[in-house]
Every structure is written in C-alpha cells, then in structure tokens.
Amino acid sequence: MGHLIPLAEFARRLTHLHHDISITFTTLSSSSNNAEQSILSSLPPSITSLTLPPPSLSDLPSDLKIESLISLSLSRSLPSLRHIISSLPDVSALVVDLFGTDAFDVAEEFNIPKYIFFPSTAMTLSLFKHLPDLDSSVSCEYRDSPDPIRLPGCVPLRGSDLLDPVQDRTNDAYKWVLHHSKRYGLADGIFLNSFEDLEPGPIRALTEPGSKPPVYPVGPLVRTGGSEDSTGCLEWLDRQPSGSVLFVCFGSGGTLSVDQLTELAAGLEMSGQRFLWAVKSPSKVSNSSFFSAASSDDPVGSLPEGFVERTKGRGMMVPSWAPQSQVLAHTSTGGFVSHCGWNSTLESVVYGVPLIVWPLYAEQKMNAVNLIEQAKIAIRPTTGEDGVVRREEVSRIVRALMEGEEGMGVRSRVKELQERAKKTLSEGGSSCKALGEVALKLRQNSNHNNNNSSVANGVSGDV
Ligand code: UDP
C-alpha cells in the first residue's frame, strides 16, 4: 500500500495537471485486497488500470523477505509486461517502483525511456545511490561499523538505523537491494516523493546540476479523496474537541509483540488523553514487526482485559484499518503515533499533525532520525533494554506531545511545514514545476517516438 498509494497519486496528479498525458497503471497485486481495489477503482478515466497475472512463486522459501519477494514477482512477470507494452500504441515512458529496475530490460527492448518512482525519502534514495560504494568500502555488517554512515547532505546515520534489508548482507534481500541500486544509474530520471523544505540537505545534494540521473522532487503526494468510513471513527472524531485526539497507527504492515501491545494500551490509558487506535493483532513471531503471522480475526480482542470499557468515551479502537488520511485531516486530531512509513509521515506534514516516532521495519528508523534531527516535527519515546517501551514512558511521551512544551515546539514546526507543503504543490511551487518538467520530458519522448514511427497525432503517448 505504501508504494501503490503514492504511485497512484503521482499518476492522478500528472494527468490532472497535464490533460494530454494518458497512463496505463500496471500492478502485481492480488485482486483480493479491498484497500488496494479501492485505490485502483478510484483512478480517473484517463488512467487505465491493469493487473498482471500472478507469477508462479510456489518454489520460493516461505521465509523470503519482502524485498526479494517483490523483486522476484516482478522479474517473473516480465513476459506479461512485455505483452502489455507491445499492445499499447505509443508508449513514451515506463515508470517503475523502487524495486522494479528489472523491467528496464523490457523498456530497452522497446526503446522506451525508463524512470523510477521513489516512494520514500531523499535520504533513502541517497543510500540507494551510494550502496554500491558502501558495499565495496565497508567489509563488516553496517551495524557493526564503528563509523557513522555519511551520505551527502544527510545527518550521519548509525549503521543499525539503515533500512532492514541491508542489515544482513548475507541475505538475498540485501543482494536484491544492491542489484537494484546498481541499476539506478541506468534510469532516465527519478521521481521522488519529497520536497526541499522537508529534506533540504539530501535534496540539494541529489539535484546538484549535472547529477545523474536527474531527480525530480514531486512530493508531497498523499492520498486524496476519501474512502468510505465503515468504522464510524470519523463521526466519533466529529464529537471530540479540536486538536484533542491522538491517532495511533502502524501502517499497513506493522504489528507489535503481545508485550508491547499491552504496554501501549496501559500507557494510553494512564495518559488520560483521548485517542483513536487502528489496532492490529499482535505478532506471533518474536522480533517480527512486519507481515507477521498475526492471526486473530479480532485485533481489539487482543487488548488487555477491561481496557475497552475503562477507556470508553475517550478512546476508540478500530480493527486493523482506519481511513488514515481523513483522520489526520480531521480538526480533532492533534497528534500521531506512527511507525514512520513515508506516506504516513507525508500525510502528517500535509495535515499539520506532529508525531511520536515508533519505527518498526523497512527504512523507518532512518525516517525517524530525519523527523527528529532534521525536520524537528516529532518526539521519540525511550525504549527499555528489552526493546519494549514501557507504559510509564508511553504515558509520559503522549502527554508531552499533546499538552507539554515539547509538543508545542514540534506542533508549531509541523504547521510551518504544512504551509510550505501547500506552496510547493501550488502553481509556481517547486513540486508543481518539477511535475511540469516531467510532463515536458514525456511529450518530448512521445514526439520522438512519433517522428520515428511517422505518426504525428498531436497527443502525447502513454506512460
Ligand atoms: N493506511 C490507512 N489506514 C491504515 C493504515 C495505513 O489508510 O489503517 C494508509 C496510510 O494512510 C498510508 C499507507 O496506508 O497512505 C501506509 O503507507 P506508509 O508508507 O506510511 O507505510 P507502509 O504501510 O508502507 O509501511
């Protein structure tokens, strides 16, 4: 979801601002996921949506990491992609997701320019660009490296804060990330879902004149248009005082251990604050915080006994999935406990809601560092030695955000960034201009294709 939502927004905004561009949106997803289906079915008529037939993955081990799974799914789907591209009349560009660089081979066969849509931070993109160098210059695991990792324009990072798949260099997931990062230089351009006010240092470094491939910061692109709220939480928010509710949500894949879930619940209760919590069943696998084997059909049932009754009136729980962007946009929402997925972060910025960082997987530890040290729109709880944030600490940090001085500081800073985000997306703003450049490139590619094939119908080609 974290890749699909911003890519769909990118497509939507491109066709909305530049009517002469049409888009064919191709996914690998299974059609059974309702949240995915609701994104795809909300695309405007100028965007055709196609799902590739699922490739056979039955030979793969069950403990394969998500990065390997995505990469293998795509590389095994290239014949279907080839078939789709050959059936389209005039393709002016192929845009792939961050782990989609194997599709470049197909683009080259058809002589089509190739782009990457990068749904994460400029800092993570910088890591991807420099990973081949790091791979040859650092001999140990990055987390054991005594020196911080220095990326151009970024705050220094501890090796242990780097994204998950690079934490074990012997795992296939690392090899896949390295493989893709080596192919980033082949792209004709990279569309980045960020903006300079949010990540000034890394974006300036990535967009220095002459850097290759060119990077277009087109963000913040967040989900627009609401989905139906079957949970009743928006109505509940309508009845709460302005800025009084803390929203707790760990993205589409984040789960907590049983112990952590209990401590979080107890801490929210102790804090005395209002809260809305998208609860997922706890992870049954120790140390797993992503796509766990969580199995209970009733996540709320896994909360401590009596919790729901004791917090009635000031706490609301929704099972698994909340209409997050509408919740963050609601005037009653005043804070966000987030796993720091990049889309969640951007939504928080766009709606001006300060955060408590609770990174779980992927590149979220890097995002948390960024939010605290560079953007300064978030605060962080202290984790115990056993890796669990205890209830007293949860209560302390929640009160600090919702009514303390620390909270006031990050709130005023996120409101400033919210204004800047609005500007950057409006006419004349830097993201709007970057998107204009993208559209121009696509038209040039299309004219080039048309001239080559002696077709000149005046309509830009398909992406
Ligand atoms: N989301 C949502 N409801 C939920 C959980 C997530 O609408 O209960 C949306 C959220 O608004 C965001 C996306 O799913 O747009 C999650 O993306 P993110 O990059 O934050 O995290 P990921 O799920 O990829 O880890």
Side-chain angles (χ1 to χ4, degrees), residues 1-3 5 223 247 249-254 278 280 290 320-325 339-345 347 361 364:
M1 291 302 288
H3 299 200
I5 291 173
R223 188 171 183 189
F247 177 50
C249 183
F250 301 102
S252 53
K280 289 201 177 58
F290 180 63
S320 298
W321 192 259
Q324 178 170 302
S325 54
H339 73 318
C340 306
W342 191 235
N343 295 287
S344 298
T345 304
E347 286 160 15
Y361 55 90
Q364 293 152 13

Short mmCIF file of all heavy atoms in Angstrom, two decimals, residues 1-3 5 223 247 249-254 278 280 290 320-325 339-345 347 361 364, ligand 1:
data_model
loop_
_atom_site.label_atom_id
_atom_site.label_comp_id
_atom_site.label_asym_id
_atom_site.label_seq_id
_atom_site.Cartn_x
_atom_site.Cartn_y
_atom_site.Cartn_z
N MET A 1 0.83 -1.21 0.00
CA MET A 1 0.00 0.00 0.00
C MET A 1 0.86 1.26 0.00
O MET A 1 0.52 2.24 -0.62
CB MET A 1 -0.91 0.01 1.24
CG MET A 1 -1.99 -1.05 1.21
SD MET A 1 -3.06 -0.90 -0.22
CE MET A 1 -3.98 0.57 0.19
N GLY A 2 1.99 1.17 0.71
CA GLY A 2 2.87 2.33 0.82
C GLY A 2 3.53 2.69 -0.51
O GLY A 2 4.06 3.80 -0.66
N HIS A 3 3.53 1.77 -1.45
CA HIS A 3 4.08 2.07 -2.78
C HIS A 3 2.93 2.41 -3.74
O HIS A 3 3.05 3.30 -4.58
CB HIS A 3 4.85 0.87 -3.34
CG HIS A 3 6.03 0.48 -2.50
ND1 HIS A 3 7.08 -0.27 -2.97
CD2 HIS A 3 6.34 0.73 -1.21
CE1 HIS A 3 7.96 -0.47 -2.01
NE2 HIS A 3 7.53 0.13 -0.92
N ILE A 5 -0.16 3.63 -3.12
CA ILE A 5 -0.89 4.88 -2.88
C ILE A 5 -0.15 6.08 -3.51
O ILE A 5 -0.74 6.82 -4.30
CB ILE A 5 -1.16 5.10 -1.37
CG1 ILE A 5 -2.19 4.06 -0.89
CG2 ILE A 5 -1.63 6.51 -1.06
CD1 ILE A 5 -2.44 4.05 0.61
N ARG A 223 -2.48 10.52 -0.39
CA ARG A 223 -3.77 10.07 -0.89
C ARG A 223 -4.80 11.19 -0.80
O ARG A 223 -4.99 11.78 0.26
CB ARG A 223 -4.24 8.86 -0.07
CG ARG A 223 -5.46 8.27 -0.68
CD ARG A 223 -5.84 6.96 -0.06
NE ARG A 223 -6.99 6.46 -0.79
CZ ARG A 223 -7.69 5.42 -0.43
NH1 ARG A 223 -7.35 4.74 0.63
NH2 ARG A 223 -8.72 5.03 -1.14
N PHE A 247 -3.86 9.97 17.33
CA PHE A 247 -4.13 8.85 16.43
C PHE A 247 -2.96 7.88 16.50
O PHE A 247 -1.79 8.28 16.44
CB PHE A 247 -4.30 9.40 15.00
CG PHE A 247 -4.53 8.34 13.95
CD1 PHE A 247 -5.51 7.36 14.12
CD2 PHE A 247 -3.79 8.35 12.77
CE1 PHE A 247 -5.72 6.39 13.15
CE2 PHE A 247 -4.01 7.39 11.79
CZ PHE A 247 -4.98 6.41 11.98
N CYS A 249 -1.36 4.49 14.79
CA CYS A 249 -1.48 3.57 13.64
C CYS A 249 -0.09 3.22 13.13
O CYS A 249 0.76 4.09 12.98
CB CYS A 249 -2.30 4.25 12.54
SG CYS A 249 -2.60 3.20 11.11
N PHE A 250 0.12 1.93 12.85
CA PHE A 250 1.45 1.48 12.44
C PHE A 250 1.48 1.01 10.98
O PHE A 250 2.12 0.02 10.64
CB PHE A 250 1.93 0.37 13.38
CG PHE A 250 2.02 0.81 14.82
CD1 PHE A 250 1.03 0.47 15.73
CD2 PHE A 250 3.07 1.60 15.24
CE1 PHE A 250 1.11 0.89 17.06
CE2 PHE A 250 3.15 2.03 16.56
CZ PHE A 250 2.17 1.68 17.47
N GLY A 251 0.75 1.73 10.12
CA GLY A 251 0.83 1.46 8.69
C GLY A 251 0.09 0.22 8.27
O GLY A 251 -0.69 -0.36 9.02
N SER A 252 0.36 -0.21 7.03
CA SER A 252 -0.39 -1.34 6.50
C SER A 252 0.18 -2.66 7.00
O SER A 252 -0.51 -3.67 7.00
CB SER A 252 -0.41 -1.30 4.98
OG SER A 252 0.89 -1.20 4.46
N GLY A 253 1.44 -2.67 7.43
CA GLY A 253 2.03 -3.96 7.77
C GLY A 253 2.56 -4.08 9.19
O GLY A 253 3.00 -5.15 9.59
N GLY A 254 2.49 -2.99 9.97
CA GLY A 254 3.16 -3.02 11.27
C GLY A 254 2.38 -3.73 12.37
O GLY A 254 1.20 -3.49 12.54
N ALA A 278 -5.90 2.35 15.43
CA ALA A 278 -6.14 1.28 14.43
C ALA A 278 -5.36 0.06 14.93
O ALA A 278 -4.15 -0.03 14.74
CB ALA A 278 -5.63 1.72 13.06
N LYS A 280 -3.95 -3.66 15.34
CA LYS A 280 -3.69 -4.91 14.61
C LYS A 280 -3.38 -6.00 15.63
O LYS A 280 -2.84 -5.72 16.70
CB LYS A 280 -2.49 -4.74 13.69
CG LYS A 280 -2.79 -3.87 12.51
CD LYS A 280 -1.79 -4.14 11.40
CE LYS A 280 -2.12 -3.33 10.18
NZ LYS A 280 -2.15 -1.89 10.44
N PHE A 290 6.59 -7.03 11.03
CA PHE A 290 6.05 -6.78 9.70
C PHE A 290 5.42 -8.04 9.14
O PHE A 290 6.02 -9.13 9.23
CB PHE A 290 7.18 -6.33 8.77
CG PHE A 290 6.70 -6.05 7.38
CD1 PHE A 290 5.79 -5.04 7.16
CD2 PHE A 290 7.15 -6.80 6.32
CE1 PHE A 290 5.34 -4.77 5.88
CE2 PHE A 290 6.71 -6.52 5.03
CZ PHE A 290 5.80 -5.50 4.80
N SER A 320 -7.74 -3.10 12.68
CA SER A 320 -6.80 -3.18 11.54
C SER A 320 -6.65 -1.93 10.68
O SER A 320 -5.55 -1.46 10.47
CB SER A 320 -7.15 -4.34 10.61
OG SER A 320 -7.04 -5.52 11.31
N TRP A 321 -7.72 -1.40 10.13
CA TRP A 321 -7.56 -0.38 9.09
C TRP A 321 -8.44 0.84 9.37
O TRP A 321 -9.65 0.71 9.53
CB TRP A 321 -7.93 -0.99 7.73
CG TRP A 321 -7.54 -0.14 6.56
CD1 TRP A 321 -8.35 0.68 5.84
CD2 TRP A 321 -6.24 -0.02 5.97
NE1 TRP A 321 -7.63 1.31 4.84
CE2 TRP A 321 -6.33 0.90 4.90
CE3 TRP A 321 -4.99 -0.57 6.25
CZ2 TRP A 321 -5.25 1.25 4.11
CZ3 TRP A 321 -3.90 -0.21 5.45
CH2 TRP A 321 -4.04 0.68 4.40
N ALA A 322 -7.82 2.01 9.44
CA ALA A 322 -8.59 3.26 9.63
C ALA A 322 -8.45 4.11 8.37
O ALA A 322 -7.47 3.97 7.65
CB ALA A 322 -8.01 4.02 10.81
N PRO A 323 -9.42 5.00 8.10
CA PRO A 323 -9.26 5.90 6.95
C PRO A 323 -8.24 6.99 7.31
O PRO A 323 -8.58 8.13 7.60
CB PRO A 323 -10.67 6.47 6.75
CG PRO A 323 -11.31 6.37 8.09
CD PRO A 323 -10.67 5.23 8.83
N GLN A 324 -6.97 6.61 7.30
CA GLN A 324 -5.91 7.42 7.93
C GLN A 324 -5.85 8.87 7.43
O GLN A 324 -5.74 9.79 8.23
CB GLN A 324 -4.56 6.75 7.74
CG GLN A 324 -3.43 7.56 8.33
CD GLN A 324 -2.13 6.81 8.37
OE1 GLN A 324 -2.05 5.75 8.98
NE2 GLN A 324 -1.10 7.34 7.73
N SER A 325 -5.85 9.05 6.10
CA SER A 325 -5.64 10.43 5.66
C SER A 325 -6.82 11.31 6.10
O SER A 325 -6.62 12.48 6.45
CB SER A 325 -5.39 10.52 4.15
OG SER A 325 -6.41 9.88 3.47
N HIS A 339 4.50 4.58 12.79
CA HIS A 339 5.67 3.72 12.51
C HIS A 339 6.65 4.43 11.56
O HIS A 339 7.68 3.87 11.22
CB HIS A 339 5.21 2.38 11.94
CG HIS A 339 4.70 2.47 10.52
ND1 HIS A 339 3.89 3.48 10.06
CD2 HIS A 339 4.89 1.65 9.45
CE1 HIS A 339 3.62 3.29 8.78
NE2 HIS A 339 4.21 2.19 8.39
N CYS A 340 6.30 5.66 11.14
CA CYS A 340 7.17 6.47 10.29
C CYS A 340 7.30 5.95 8.87
O CYS A 340 8.31 6.20 8.21
CB CYS A 340 8.57 6.64 10.87
SG CYS A 340 8.59 7.29 12.51
N GLY A 341 6.30 5.19 8.40
CA GLY A 341 6.26 4.91 6.97
C GLY A 341 6.25 6.26 6.26
O GLY A 341 5.71 7.25 6.80
N TRP A 342 6.81 6.33 5.08
CA TRP A 342 6.98 7.65 4.47
C TRP A 342 5.64 8.28 4.09
O TRP A 342 5.45 9.49 4.19
CB TRP A 342 7.92 7.58 3.27
CG TRP A 342 8.33 8.93 2.78
CD1 TRP A 342 8.21 9.42 1.52
CD2 TRP A 342 8.93 10.00 3.55
NE1 TRP A 342 8.70 10.71 1.44
CE2 TRP A 342 9.15 11.09 2.68
CE3 TRP A 342 9.30 10.14 4.90
CZ2 TRP A 342 9.72 12.29 3.09
CZ3 TRP A 342 9.86 11.35 5.31
CH2 TRP A 342 10.06 12.40 4.42
N ASN A 343 4.68 7.45 3.66
CA ASN A 343 3.38 8.03 3.32
C ASN A 343 2.70 8.59 4.55
O ASN A 343 2.12 9.68 4.52
CB ASN A 343 2.47 6.99 2.67
CG ASN A 343 3.05 6.54 1.35
OD1 ASN A 343 3.02 7.28 0.39
ND2 ASN A 343 3.62 5.35 1.34
N SER A 344 2.78 7.85 5.64
CA SER A 344 2.17 8.34 6.89
C SER A 344 2.83 9.65 7.29
O SER A 344 2.17 10.60 7.72
CB SER A 344 2.35 7.31 8.00
OG SER A 344 1.69 6.13 7.65
N THR A 345 4.14 9.71 7.15
CA THR A 345 4.86 10.93 7.51
C THR A 345 4.41 12.11 6.65
O THR A 345 4.13 13.20 7.17
CB THR A 345 6.38 10.70 7.30
OG1 THR A 345 6.76 9.56 8.07
CG2 THR A 345 7.19 11.90 7.69
N GLU A 347 1.63 12.44 5.07
CA GLU A 347 0.24 12.79 5.40
C GLU A 347 0.22 13.67 6.66
O GLU A 347 -0.50 14.65 6.75
CB GLU A 347 -0.60 11.52 5.59
CG GLU A 347 -0.92 10.83 4.25
CD GLU A 347 -1.31 9.36 4.37
OE1 GLU A 347 -1.62 8.89 5.48
OE2 GLU A 347 -1.30 8.67 3.33
N TYR A 361 9.92 -1.25 10.75
CA TYR A 361 10.56 -2.06 9.71
C TYR A 361 10.96 -1.17 8.53
O TYR A 361 10.80 0.04 8.59
CB TYR A 361 9.63 -3.20 9.25
CG TYR A 361 8.27 -2.74 8.78
CD1 TYR A 361 8.04 -2.40 7.46
CD2 TYR A 361 7.21 -2.61 9.68
CE1 TYR A 361 6.80 -1.97 7.02
CE2 TYR A 361 5.95 -2.18 9.25
CZ TYR A 361 5.76 -1.86 7.92
OH TYR A 361 4.54 -1.42 7.50
N GLN A 364 12.20 2.74 8.23
CA GLN A 364 11.53 3.63 9.19
C GLN A 364 12.46 4.19 10.26
O GLN A 364 12.21 5.29 10.77
CB GLN A 364 10.33 2.89 9.80
CG GLN A 364 9.25 2.65 8.75
CD GLN A 364 8.39 1.44 9.02
OE1 GLN A 364 8.43 0.89 10.10
NE2 GLN A 364 7.62 1.01 8.03
N1 UDP B 1 -3.19 3.42 5.85
C1 UDP B 1 -4.53 3.66 6.06
N2 UDP B 1 -5.11 3.05 7.13
C2 UDP B 1 -4.44 2.25 7.99
C3 UDP B 1 -3.06 2.02 7.76
C4 UDP B 1 -2.46 2.64 6.69
O1 UDP B 1 -5.18 4.38 5.30
O2 UDP B 1 -5.04 1.76 8.96
C5 UDP B 1 -2.54 4.08 4.69
C6 UDP B 1 -1.79 5.32 5.13
O3 UDP B 1 -2.64 6.45 5.10
C7 UDP B 1 -0.65 5.38 4.12
C8 UDP B 1 -0.41 3.92 3.76
O4 UDP B 1 -1.58 3.21 4.12
O5 UDP B 1 -1.07 6.09 2.99
C9 UDP B 1 0.76 3.34 4.53
O6 UDP B 1 1.94 3.77 3.94
P1 UDP B 1 3.26 4.02 4.77
O7 UDP B 1 4.32 4.36 3.79
O8 UDP B 1 3.03 5.01 5.82
O9 UDP B 1 3.55 2.66 5.49
P2 UDP B 1 3.62 1.14 4.99
O10 UDP B 1 2.25 0.61 5.14
O11 UDP B 1 4.11 1.14 3.58
O12 UDP B 1 4.57 0.56 5.95
#
